Amino acid sequence: MPTPRDRQEDASHRTHLPAVASSFIGRAVDLDAIAERFEDGAQLVTVIGLGGMGKTRVALRFAEAHAASFVAPGTGGVWFCDLTAARDPAAACAAVAAVLGIRPGSSADEATLADHLGRALSRRGRMLLVLDNFEQLAEFAEATLGRWMRAASRARFLVTSRVALGLAGEHRWPLRSLELPPADIRDERDLAAVESIDLFVRRARQIRPDLPLRPDDLVAIADVVRRLDGIPLAIELAAARVAVLSVAQLRDRLVQRLDLLVRPGDAGRHASMRRAIADTWEQLGAAEQACLAGFTIFAGGFMLDAAEAVLGSEVGAVLPVLESLCRHSLVRATPRLDLGGEVRFSLYETIREFAAERLAAAPELAARLADRHAAHYAEFGRALAVPAAAAGGQAAVRLAVELDNLIAAHAHAIADASPDAATRALALACGADRPLIRRGMPRTSLRLLDGAIARARGTGAPGAVAAAVLARGRAHRLLGAWQRARADFEEGLALARAAGDPTLAALGHMRIGEQVETDGATQEARERFTTALALLASVPGDPLGPLHEADVRAHLAHAWRREGALEHAEREILRSLELHCAAEHSDDLPMVFYEAGTIAMFRGRHDEALARFDEGLALVRSTDARQAEGSLLYVRAILLQARGDLDLAFDHYARAIELFREVGSLAWEASALYYFAGAHLERGQHDDARKLVERALAMFTALGVPRYQALTEGCRAALFAVAGDFDAARACLDAAERHAAACRSERALTATVAIHRLHVAMMGADPETRAGLLAEARALVEAHPSDDSRFALRAALACLPELGPRLAGAPLIIRAGARGFRVPGADQDVDLHRRAPLRRIVVALARKRLDAPGEALALEELLDAGWPGERVRDSAGANRVHVALSTLRNLGLRAFLVSGPDGYALTSASPCLLEDGE
């Protein structure tokens, strides 16, 4: 009977796996998936992936982890065979026989050799055979592995290959990239736990054990692994460069990846990414090589119909070639759930760079492909721009998915001197407009539209030019260039009339109505909207007509609301809501919920209003509609403020302002700043409120918006009255009334200014007179209900001595010279007197907080504050600031230190006191 030692030695004898020098990282999902397939009865599992993806390591790891089930008495063991050098069935049989210690057959017939080996495998019983690098034998898979599988039914085969084998019973497991860090993660612990970053760090520290891992280094490593698509070999080759490059330098040099991703002195197949890709390239046929090179003309990926349109005349049938490239792991195929499961194709960036070099070597082919690419996407944009703008849905999703291709094609069309290029540029710019606006990139859209309109002047296509000019006007409006916007809307309307296009003319009237309503001419705006509805009605049967009508009615509801005609406003918005909800899809629905909720809020139905706002937010948060999200958060904050929930209102205002800045919407940002100032006023933070309202007024003055100039001047008057400066308060009221005169149809606006004037009078009146003035103010709110009139009344109540504000909590105290600080509720200071950089940073943050509440200090400003006069490299400086801010958070400022796209700030939601002195 064998002893335990005998059994252990016997098990060891039947485990033939090569030793691996480096550690194994991640891939738990892949290992579990392979195990599940074998457990479900699979005889063959093929791990398929690009060269350098880590197929061999995964196969070895699986074999090691599951060796116990194949080395028990009566089993055949675990075996590993590298087939890199085998090029035909005979060589494959010889390699496997050598590993297994089987005497090869003496026949020269390949089938006989394979059958002989199959019988030998069968005698081994249950066993696991790992066949590595099978791709060059794929055409012989049936003649070798197919025969072994039939002969040895108890054997299990784990194969690694760059291409699927196509055998009956084959279970394929595509090996993808390592996990990549999400773009919004900056926490060092979260970053360090990501598989691709972990691999980089471990391999880099094999070369450089003292590699620093500061927060900024981890952010740079995250950029590196993203640019390398999470491909393990690429990451390992990049990590080896830290011997002579910092991580930031490495990241900046990855513009040309293939020249950098080389292991000097190594001639093996994994010595460079270029070699790894070239090995697969050489296995391709001419059509496959031409197709792969041609695919680099696409930006960000492509769909099958685009590939056929652009490459079909060069390679013939694209589908079988594309399938082959997918089997070779050179092209990624990803189902798009938002497009009903339609497959989108893309290239890893290292493969793109390799294939693009091949296309650059054939300039005539590259020029033909670029022309067809521009023509295809111009027609694509032309077909989808209008339905996407009206309804969103699949048309909008497709435009968003192809945005990079639209922009690339536009650049080609602008540079093209051919007669068709101008109309193509227009179609491409209009196609890209909507996804760019939704992503908060109006400046990019403006650039594309400007270029296209300039190219198209005099081409005799007024309808196409009209659509582009109207789109440009919208971009100008979002960016605050309202005079240019009005000029574009007028020109677009004239072009639409010249083209005889009533739908475009209706949109022109709607845009002009939107513009004049902002200027206070609500009656003229309603006339424009009514004209637009009549024009739309003149085009019966237009499938997009109901959605255009819904959009116009939402604007009409807004104009009625401005005039205080809330019943008319509600009738129009409910009709708009009905039309939007009847459509299969409408991306504008969230803003209809915004207007419906605002009307309900004006009518005092707060619960209904809150429900409408929340319906809109639920829709926008599944998309990238940042403008709509900011609008809904800001109006929700107004309602919360009215209900007394100032803490949550502060949070909403801060986030809304951040979103408006991201998308470049100056008017909305200024409006949110005004209402944010009101929240500070109600809380008794008068100095903060004054600074916020001054910023809002400066923006409204630059934009020329009389309505909001009147509101901000009224709020300033209240603040001056609180400070006892009644002359300044009366001057503000006079200015407010002048601005309100431009908006005579807005009775609620006139009432709001009147309430502020009553407020100023109350501040210097005796209690009896004050009571009468307060009653008069209440009556004005009752007669002209709106968020503004109600705020003006709440502001008066908050400033009355007998009532007082809803005070904020205790302040964050910054000691003189920032020698320390004390957070609210603490019984002692945090001492900073030995930490000069931290002291200077805290002082800079506090001064910014007090001078410009809500505004942030950029990273460079914090670096200058903390280490004045020092010249520090960008990456090192950023790291210093990140470490300092992390330290301050840990010392107690976590709840007070906020970050945004512009930098860092102390929150204005809590009072801050900076003591005088050094």
Side-chain angles (χ1 to χ4, degrees):
M1 176 179 295
T3 67
R5 179 180 178 84
D6 294 333
R7 286 194 295 269
Q8 183 179 6
E9 290 178 352
D10 189 46
S12 175
H13 179 69
R14 290 195 299 273
T15 303
H16 293 266
L17 299 174
V20 178
S22 57
S23 58
F24 184 85
I25 295 168
R27 298 295 196 188
V29 172
D30 300 293
L31 294 169
D32 288 345
I34 295 168
E36 286 175 9
R37 278 147 183 77
F38 280 127
E39 289 168 5
D40 289 344
Q43 188 181 8
L44 165 65
V45 176
T46 305
V47 179
I48 306 166
L50 173 70
M53 196 58 78
K55 301 180 297 295
T56 302
R57 294 299 308 275
V58 168
L60 284 170
R61 184 68 168 183
F62 177 84
E64 292 169 354
H66 295 269
S69 62
F70 294 99
V71 297
T75 58
V78 177
W79 306 83
F80 177 88
C81 181
D82 183 359
L83 294 171
T84 302
R87 292 292 184 272
D88 55 49
C93 289
V96 173
V99 166
L100 294 172
I102 299 171
R103 187 185 300 276
S106 58
S107 172
D109 179 68
E110 292 177 343
T112 302
L113 287 172
D115 288 340
H116 171 77
L117 186 55
R119 290 189 294 272
L121 290 171
S122 177
R123 289 192 291 271
R124 298 288 178 104
R126 176 176 169 77
M127 64 176 295
L128 175 66
L129 179 56
V130 179
L131 299 173
D132 194 34
N133 298 313
F134 207 98
E135 56 269 5
Q136 69 279 353
L137 294 167
E139 63 179 301
F140 308 117
E142 176 57 39
T144 52
L145 182 53
R147 289 177 177 270
W148 303 339
M149 290 170 63
R150 288 190 293 275
S153 60
R154 296 183 64 197
R156 296 293 177 263
F157 299 90
L158 179 58
V159 173
T160 72
S161 176
R162 300 184 186 186
V163 61
L165 307 184
L167 292 176
E170 178 185 25
H171 288 245
R172 302 173 187 174
W173 182 251
L175 193 62
R176 307 295 185 189
S177 304
L178 290 173
E179 172 199 10
L180 290 172
D184 58 348
I185 289 185
R186 295 187 67 88
D187 182 84
E188 54 190 286
R189 287 169 296 185
D190 293 338
L191 286 171
V194 175
E195 286 181 356
S196 52
I197 293 179
D198 188 20
L199 176 63
F200 182 97
V201 170
R202 290 182 187 232
R203 298 299 181 260
R205 282 186 164 165
Q206 288 179 228
I207 306 295
R208 186 178 166 190
D210 63 343
L211 177 74
L213 274 187
R214 298 161 298 196
D216 196 51
D217 295 313
L218 284 168
V219 171
I221 293 170
D223 289 339
V224 168
V225 298
R226 288 191 199 103
R227 294 185 190 186
L228 298 177
D229 294 312
I231 299 173
L233 176 60
I235 292 172
E236 293 192 1
L237 292 171
R241 294 289 187 173
V242 301
V244 292
L245 295 174
S246 71
V247 176
Q249 288 174 314
L250 175 63
R251 174 194 59 200
D252 296 342
R253 287 173 176 262
L254 282 177
V255 177
Q256 298 294 326
R257 296 167 180 80
L258 295 178
D259 293 338
L260 191 68
L261 302 178
V262 177
R263 187 178 288 121
D266 187 345
R269 65 201 306 260
H270 286 163
S272 71
M273 279 305 300
R274 190 185 298 277
R275 168 69 187 276
I277 299 168
D279 286 345
T280 304
W281 173 270
E282 290 164 4
Q283 296 173 19
L284 302 177
E288 293 166 321
Q289 290 181 347
C291 237
L292 185 60
F295 288 156
T296 63
I297 208 72
F298 294 100
F302 55 92
M303 311 300 278
L304 176 59
D305 64 330
E308 290 175 329
V310 175
L311 286 155
S313 60
E314 300 290 343
V315 300
V318 171
L319 180 58
V321 180
L322 182 55
E323 287 177 323
S324 175
L325 292 171
C326 288
R327 286 197 302 272
H328 280 87
S329 307
L330 292 169
V331 175
R332 291 183 288 186
T334 307
R336 293 284 310 214
L337 298 180
D338 52 356
L339 293 175
E342 190 173 344
V343 176
R344 184 166 177 79
F345 302 94
S346 62
L347 306 180
Y348 290 107
E349 287 304 311
T350 48
I351 293 176
R352 170 182 289 280
E353 185 177 326
F354 181 94
E357 292 174 350
R358 272 57 186 172
L359 183 62
E364 292 182 359
L365 172 62
R368 292 196 301 273
L369 295 180
D371 286 341
R372 286 198 288 272
H373 178 270
H376 172 78
Y377 283 103
E379 183 56 38
F380 177 87
R382 187 179 296 112
L384 296 183
V386 173
Q394 289 283 290
V397 172
R398 289 186 182 279
L399 286 176
V401 166
E402 297 295 357
L403 180 57
D404 290 341
N405 278 311
L406 290 166
I407 294 174
H410 177 275
H412 180 77
I414 290 294
D416 187 359
S418 68
D420 296 334
T423 55
R424 288 179 183 175
L426 281 174
L428 290 159
C430 288
D433 174 62
R434 191 178 191 286
L436 285 170
I437 295 298
R438 285 182 65 80
R439 292 186 187 184
M441 302 170 67
R443 285 184 176 81
T444 302
S445 183
L446 186 60
R447 176 177 60 80
L448 299 185
L449 290 162
D450 273 340
I453 292 167
R455 285 281 278 114
R457 294 290 188 193
T459 61
V465 178
V469 171
L470 289 172
R472 184 174 68 178
R474 183 182 179 214
H476 274 135
R477 179 176 168 82
L478 286 171
L479 291 168
W482 287 9
Q483 291 183 342
R484 292 180 180 178
R486 177 65 183 267
D488 277 340
F489 294 150
E490 296 285 3
E491 181 187 358
L493 175 58
L495 287 166
R497 286 169 171 162
D501 190 326
T503 300
L504 273 178
L507 295 178
H509 278 292
M510 184 185 75
R511 294 299 181 201
I512 294 171
E514 183 181 16
Q515 190 75 26
V516 299
E517 186 205 330
T518 303
D519 295 336
T522 56
Q523 184 174 346
E524 181 186 346
R526 287 193 290 103
E527 291 170 358
R528 292 281 188 175
F529 299 145
T530 302
T531 300
L533 288 172
L535 285 166
L536 292 172
S538 72
V539 191
D542 181 357
L544 297 175
L547 282 166
H548 290 312
E549 179 189 346
D551 200 11
V552 176
R553 289 193 183 280
H555 283 86
L556 185 54
H558 189 271
W560 281 120
R561 172 167 66 83
R562 286 280 187 237
E563 294 182 10
L566 298 181
E567 289 187 7
H568 289 297
E570 192 149 44
R571 182 185 65 239
E572 294 297 340
I573 202 62
L574 290 177
R575 177 58 180 153
S576 176
L577 195 58
E578 179 185 346
L579 289 167
H580 277 291
C581 291
E584 181 180 347
H585 186 88
S586 171
D587 282 355
D588 292 327
L589 185 55
M591 289 306 290
V592 180
F593 281 126
Y594 166 95
E595 186 62 35
T598 303
I599 293 168
M601 180 171 67
F602 275 35
R603 305 197 77 176
R605 305 196 304 264
H606 286 185
D607 289 342
E608 177 188 335
L610 198 61
R612 294 292 196 192
F613 299 149
D614 289 345
E615 283 183 272
L617 283 168
L619 290 173
V620 299
R621 282 173 174 160
S622 62
T623 67
D624 192 27
R626 288 177 285 173
Q627 171 75 41
E629 183 182 358
S631 303
L632 286 158
L633 282 172
Y634 137 89
V635 75
R636 196 177 195 274
I638 293 172
L639 178 54
L640 291 169
Q641 182 180 340
R643 297 177 74 164
D645 190 349
L646 287 178
D647 288 339
L648 189 53
F650 265 69
D651 291 342
H652 282 7
Y653 281 130
R655 177 58 180 152
I657 291 167
E658 182 179 314
L659 287 166
F660 293 144
R661 284 177 181 164
E662 287 178 12
V663 301
S665 184
L666 298 181
W668 282 92
E669 180 188 347
S671 180
L673 284 170
Y674 160 71
Y675 287 104
F676 198 21
H680 283 80
L681 188 155
E682 288 192 59
R683 206 172 213 174
Q685 296 175 234
H686 297 152
D687 193 47
D688 290 336
R690 180 185 59 77
K691 290 166 183 172
L692 287 166
V693 83
E694 296 285 357
R695 284 163 54 196
L697 178 60
M699 295 170 76
F700 285 131
T701 301
L703 291 168
V705 191
R707 178 180 190 279
Y708 280 100
Q709 287 173 280
L711 290 173
T712 48
E713 289 285 16
C715 187
R716 288 179 74 221
L719 289 163
F720 278 123
V722 170
D725 190 344
F726 292 100
D727 289 339
R730 283 187 284 271
C732 288
L733 287 169
D734 291 343
E737 288 173 348
R738 287 195 302 272
H739 292 305
C743 311
R744 293 189 184 278
S745 58
E746 290 193 49
R747 292 188 292 272
L749 176 62
T750 304
T752 300
V753 176
I755 294 168
H756 282 305
R757 186 171 286 282
L758 290 169
H759 176 190
V760 172
M762 288 180 215
M763 298 303 295
D766 59 73
E768 183 177 348
T769 304
R770 189 157 54 231
L773 294 171
L774 184 58
E776 191 176 341
R778 291 185 190 276
L780 283 170
V781 173
E782 190 71 24
H784 305 288
S786 75
D787 55 343
D788 296 314
S789 61
R790 291 183 180 122
F791 160 67
L793 177 60
R794 291 198 311 273
L797 292 171
C799 297
L800 290 178
E802 58 265 36
L803 297 176
R806 286 170 276 179
L807 290 173
L812 168 67
I813 301 172
I814 311 297
R815 299 302 183 193
R819 64 179 186 273
F821 62 83
R822 180 175 296 192
V823 299
D827 56 5
Q828 61 183 6
D829 289 357
V830 174
D831 185 4
L832 294 180
H833 81 280
R834 294 182 181 274
R835 298 181 168 187
L838 295 186
R839 289 203 312 273
R840 291 190 287 262
I841 287 174
V842 167
V843 167
L845 287 167
R847 285 177 177 159
K848 189 70 171 180
R849 159 69 182 81
L850 296 171
D851 293 341
E855 286 196 7
L857 285 173
L859 206 66
E860 296 80 6
E861 294 174 293
L862 289 169
L863 180 63
D864 289 341
W867 296 269
E870 290 193 34
R871 300 185 62 182
V872 186
R873 288 182 295 109
D874 289 346
S875 59
N879 178 66
R880 282 187 181 185
V881 175
H882 286 309
V883 170
L885 295 173
S886 178
T887 303
L888 288 171
R889 287 191 179 101
N890 292 334
L891 288 173
L893 292 184
R894 188 173 302 279
F896 302 89
L897 191 57
V898 295
S899 63
D902 298 327
Y904 298 84
L906 292 176
T907 179
S908 67
S910 297
C912 178
L913 173 63
L914 176 60
E915 293 182 343
D916 294 333
E918 293 298 326

